[in-house]
């Protein structure tokens, strides 16, 4: 997988969404100087090559890829932040014991069937590359996330004006992960990294500085609250 690495401190890995690549984090990375930050192109996105068609595009395989990348980079149990698809992967990494903390921005998978179909219809208009088509096919699994995320601080952040994955999906995420802090990002749509990079960086750094607090806010919480 292609990646960029900069900074010093505790390791932090950033994962993009299904319609993006690592450049989606360009406005946020310079604000994370307290971390050894690794920004990744997921397989088939950006500069990362397409995987062999015979390899499944499911989440279990992706978690395995990420674990192998962490080992290759000498990064043990990093903090992980992800957007949309990347947020879902970040949560699954924490469930596998591979993430020290998680900041998930509008994570995929907390939708109804109708909401998923709408999101997929919109994403299908953004491009027809094989990686996106394969990711969407894999995402039709009825349950993409289940269970809690024990042993790692979790923040679920959602744009107040997200038209793709509406903010009420944060309520479902909070019900699934009771210990998570939920933060609503005022004025932001589906990609808050481009709209409000300083706000995203502040929320992310608040999570990475957590030391096991399990307190959370409701879905009307404000940035930085609930710790």
């Amino acid at each position: 997988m292609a990646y960029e690495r900069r900074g010093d401190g505790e390791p932090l890995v950033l994962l993009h969404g299904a319609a993006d690549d690592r450049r989606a984090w360009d406005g946020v990375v310079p604000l994370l100087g307290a971390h050894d930050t690794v920004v990744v192109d997921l397989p088939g996105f950006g500069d990362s090559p397409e995987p062999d068609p015979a390899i499944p595009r499911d989440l279990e395989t992706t978690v395995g890829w990420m674990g192998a990348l962490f080992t290759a980079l000498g990064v043990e149990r990093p903090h992980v932040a992800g957007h949309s698809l990347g947020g879902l992967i970040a949560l699954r990494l924490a469930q596998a014991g591979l993430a020290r903390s998680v900041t998930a921005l509008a994570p995929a998978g907390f939708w109804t069937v109708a909401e998923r179909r709408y999101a997929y219809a919109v994403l299908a208009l953004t491009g027809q590359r094989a990686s996106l088509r394969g990711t969407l096919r894999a995402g039709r699994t009825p349950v993409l996330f289940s269970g809690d995320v024990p042993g790692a601080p979790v923040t679920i952040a959602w744009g107040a004006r997200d038209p793709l994955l509406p903010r009420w999906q944060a309520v479902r995420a909070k019900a699934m992960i009771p210990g998570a802090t939920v933060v609503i990002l005022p004025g932001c749509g589906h990609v808050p990294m481009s709209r409000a990079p300083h706000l995203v960086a502040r929320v992310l750094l608040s999570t990475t500085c957590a030391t096991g607090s399990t307190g959370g806010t409701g879905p009307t919480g404000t940035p930085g609250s609930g710790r």
Side-chain angles (χ1 to χ4, degrees), residues 19 122-130 132-133 136:
V122 174
L123 288 171
L125 298 175
T126 66
Q128 293 298 315
R129 62 179 182 268
L132 178 57
R133 295 196 302 271
L136 296 183

Side-chain angles (χ1 to χ4, degrees), residues 14-37:
L14 303 180
L15 305 176
H16 60 80
D20 282 313
D21 56 35
R22 68 181 189 269
R23 293 173 295 181
W25 294 96
D26 281 356
V28 178
V29 172
L31 309 175
L32 303 174
H35 287 285
D36 169 14
T37 303

Side-chain angles (χ1 to χ4, degrees), residues 1-5 22 37-41 47-48 69 72-73:
M1 286 180 277
Y3 66 91
E4 295 179 14
R5 191 172 188 175
R22 68 181 189 269
T37 303
V38 181
V39 196
V40 177
D41 278 337
D47 295 324
S48 289
L69 178 66
L73 296 178

Side-chain angles (χ1 to χ4, degrees), residues 152-154 179-181 209-216 226-227:
V154 174
T181 294
C209 290
T211 56
S213 169
T214 57
R227 294 290 185 197

